[in-house]
């Protein structure tokens, strides 16, 4: 089945120790998103890639970076995690066609990050 | 800019009772509307979406939602709640400018035996 996969599902890191979260997809979608979701809150968009074009949300901290080496993979790098970065990180994908259309975002199962 | 309001951060129903989760949106252009469900420690799963076709949209797991432009609403309903419906539900809106979603605050549905 076509899907969005996130690894690992649970990640524990130490304060200030860089960490990388991984997302892969078999849907061949051209857009990939990273969201941060804190407890009892809605997901908050950090950034997205439209093909190779990176789009950062205005309020995303510089501590968060992303890489998309190819269509299938996208990584979230947190350079120096703080206690406030503990959250669920969700990857999503969609297919953006030309013109005034919108398509559905499909989410992965998420990675829960704990910062000690 | 668009926005979504979900009335009631927590809703509790008895098993077998009607489920009604409220969602109101604000959008300057015709919106696309979505309902997602999130089980504990899981990602978001699409329940249903409205894309300007039929105003009554049927989704998975027996859920449906009706788009009412005059009320700017897209409430989610299910005739008979099941214990497995207990989860967090998010309403979201998107407009034509790319596929960006704006989420509501979420509603936690609890189902009592």
């Amino acid at each position: 089945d076509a899907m969005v996969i996130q690894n690992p599902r649970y990640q524990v890191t130490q304060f200030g120790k860089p960490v990388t979260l991984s997302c892969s997809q078999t849907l061949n979608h051209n857009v990939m998103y990273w969201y941060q979701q804190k407890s009892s809150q809605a997901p908050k968009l950090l950034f997205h890639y439209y093909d190779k074009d990176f789009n950062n949300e205005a309020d995303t901290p510089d501590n968060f970076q992303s890489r998309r080496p190819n269509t299938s993979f996208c990584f979230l790098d947190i350079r120096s995690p703080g206690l406030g970065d503990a959250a669920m990180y969700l990857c999503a994908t969609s297919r953006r066609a030309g013109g005034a259309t919108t398509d559905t975002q499909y989410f992965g199962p998420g990675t829960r990050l704990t910062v000690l | 800019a668009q926005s979504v309001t979900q009335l009631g951060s927590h809703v509790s129903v008895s098993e077998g009772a009607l489920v009604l989760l409220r969602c109101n949106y604000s959008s300057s252009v015709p919106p696309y509307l979505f309902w997602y469900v999130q089980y504990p420690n899981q990602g978001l799963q699409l329940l249903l979406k409205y894309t300007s076709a039929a105003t009554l949209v049927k989704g998975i797991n027996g859920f449906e939602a009706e788009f009412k432009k005059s009320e700017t609403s897209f409430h989610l309903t299910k005739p008979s709640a099941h214990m497995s419906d207990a989860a967090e539900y998010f309403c979201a809106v998107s407009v034509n400018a790319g596929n960006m979603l704006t989420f509501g605050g979420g509603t936690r549905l609890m189902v009592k035996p």
Side-chain angles (χ1 to χ4, degrees):
Chain A
D1 285 343
M3 58 177 57
V4 182
I5 302 162
Q6 289 189 246
N7 286 306
R9 294 292 316 279
Y10 299 89
Q11 176 73 58
V12 179
T13 190
Q14 292 180 332
F15 182 94
K17 185 175 180 180
V19 66
T20 295
L21 309 182
S22 170
C23 177
S24 64
Q25 53 123 343
T26 60
L27 297 162
N28 201 31
H29 284 171
N30 54 2
V31 189
M32 296 186 77
Y33 310 78
W34 279 105
Y35 290 87
Q36 179 192 65
Q37 185 181 26
K38 296 190 175 180
S39 182
S40 300
Q41 295 183 19
K44 177 181 180 297
L45 183 64
L46 295 173
F47 26 58
H48 75 279
Y49 274 94
Y50 176 21
D51 290 328
K52 294 182 178 180
D53 293 334
F54 178 71
N55 298 270
N56 199 30
E57 293 301 297
D59 57 354
T60 298
D62 293 340
N63 198 26
F64 292 85
Q65 305 286 322
S66 186
R67 296 171 282 134
R68 189 180 186 185
N70 54 52
T71 300
S72 301
F73 284 87
C74 195
F75 300 98
L76 170 62
D77 300 309
I78 308 176
R79 293 191 298 186
S80 181
L83 297 179
D85 296 327
M88 175 77 92
Y89 289 88
L90 297 167
C91 175
T93 73
S94 71
R95 176 185 57 81
R96 184 179 300 177
T101 62
T102 192
D103 201 9
T104 304
Q105 290 190 25
Y106 295 92
F107 286 80
T111 294
R112 181 165 296 283
L113 178 68
T114 300
V115 182
L116 300 177
Chain B
Q2 65 270 19
S3 66
V4 178
T5 302
Q6 291 183 240
L7 294 176
S9 59
H10 292 80
V11 170
S12 180
V13 301
S14 297
E15 191 173 20
L18 171 71
V19 176
L20 171 60
L21 305 182
R22 299 179 186 272
C23 173
N24 287 89
Y25 69 91
S26 172
S27 175
S28 58
V29 298
Y32 297 86
L33 293 159
F34 304 81
W35 275 101
Y36 285 90
V37 61
Q38 186 177 33
Y39 298 100
N41 289 313
Q42 296 290 328
L44 275 67
Q45 180 183 6
L46 180 70
L47 276 177
L48 49 80
K49 63 179 180 181
Y50 167 77
T51 57
S52 76
T55 56
L56 182 62
V57 182
K58 294 188 182 299
I60 63 171
N61 301 340
F63 284 93
E64 62 181 36
E66 186 172 8
F67 173 70
K68 292 187 177 180
K69 183 178 179 180
S70 61
E71 299 177 6
T72 61
S73 69
F74 190 57
H75 301 330
L76 182 70
T77 61
K78 181 174 180 177
S80 177
H82 192 272
M83 296 297 290
S84 61
D85 294 326
E88 186 90 21
Y89 291 80
F90 291 97
C91 182
V93 64
S94 179
V95 295
N96 289 342
N99 302 60
M100 298 305 109
L101 288 175
T102 298
F103 285 95
T107 297
R108 182 167 298 277
L109 176 66
M110 293 165 285
V111 182
K112 299 176 292 186

